[in-house]
Amino acid sequence: MTSYPIPVVRLIIADSNNKVLILKRSNTEFSGGDWCLPGGKVEYGQTVEQALSLELLEETSLICAQSTFLFFQDSLPMESGSMHCINFYFKCIVKGSVKLNEESVEFAWVSQENLDNFNLVFRNDLALLRYWGKVI
């Protein structure tokens, strides 16, 4: 485990009803079977913008037509020795249809009203509440 924060991009893709795309994780050592926003780590030598476009394409086959930075969120380790991430949240306008890679087994469109029906990890639930204007 690293002893420094890891930069991560998280993408908020909303439909016309302001429902947001989430993915059910699989084939991963972190939180398999749980839900999260599309995204991933920013690799060495990669810009944040490059990471968001590549992660989106890899995970969903969607192409980012436009992105807007929203906010960042510290994701401190939940337990000793676990990962410390700094999440950079972007709203993305996309092109294409969702086709998942091996990292996810399912996708859903979540709203404020049904957020509690999904076990979101990496504090993505708090980020979505912030995006929807809820005070947290």
Side-chain angles (χ1 to χ4, degrees):
M1 191 58 51
T2 62
S3 59
Y4 51 86
I6 298 168
V8 173
V9 292
R10 289 288 168 203
L11 313 176
I12 295 178
I13 300 160
D15 68 8
S16 59
N17 297 315
N18 209 22
K19 290 184 178 181
V20 174
L21 178 67
I22 58 173
L23 308 176
K24 189 171 187 179
R25 299 171 57 78
S26 68
N27 294 325
T28 177
E29 63 182 290
F30 301 107
S31 300
D34 293 324
W35 295 83
C36 69
L37 293 165
K41 297 175 190 168
V42 179
E43 301 295 334
Y44 180 80
Q46 190 178 56
T47 68
V48 171
E49 290 82 6
Q50 288 170 330
L52 79 85
S53 291
L54 286 170
E55 289 291 338
L56 179 65
L57 185 62
E58 287 175 4
E59 293 183 4
T60 67
S61 296
L62 296 171
I63 295 170
C64 182
Q66 180 182 347
S67 65
T68 304
F69 176 72
L70 297 174
F71 52 87
F72 78 93
Q73 173 194 51
D74 285 304
S75 188
L76 298 173
M78 299 291 273
E79 56 192 48
S80 179
S82 63
M83 216 178 336
H84 173 187
C85 296
I86 300 173
N87 297 300
F88 296 93
Y89 287 89
F90 289 83
K91 181 170 184 176
C92 292
I93 297 172
V94 298
K95 295 180 184 178
S97 300
V98 177
K99 294 179 190 134
L100 301 175
N101 71 1
E102 71 282 348
E103 294 178 32
S104 302
V105 291
E106 191 177 344
F107 70 92
W109 294 92
V110 64
S111 66
Q112 286 179 228
E113 294 74 31
N114 70 353
L115 183 62
D116 290 339
N117 296 337
F118 298 89
N119 185 34
L120 270 84
V121 291
F122 313 131
R123 296 183 177 91
N124 287 179
D125 54 342
L126 299 177
L128 283 174
L129 290 173
R130 182 174 177 184
Y131 166 72
W132 285 314
K134 299 294 180 186
V135 177
I136 51 171

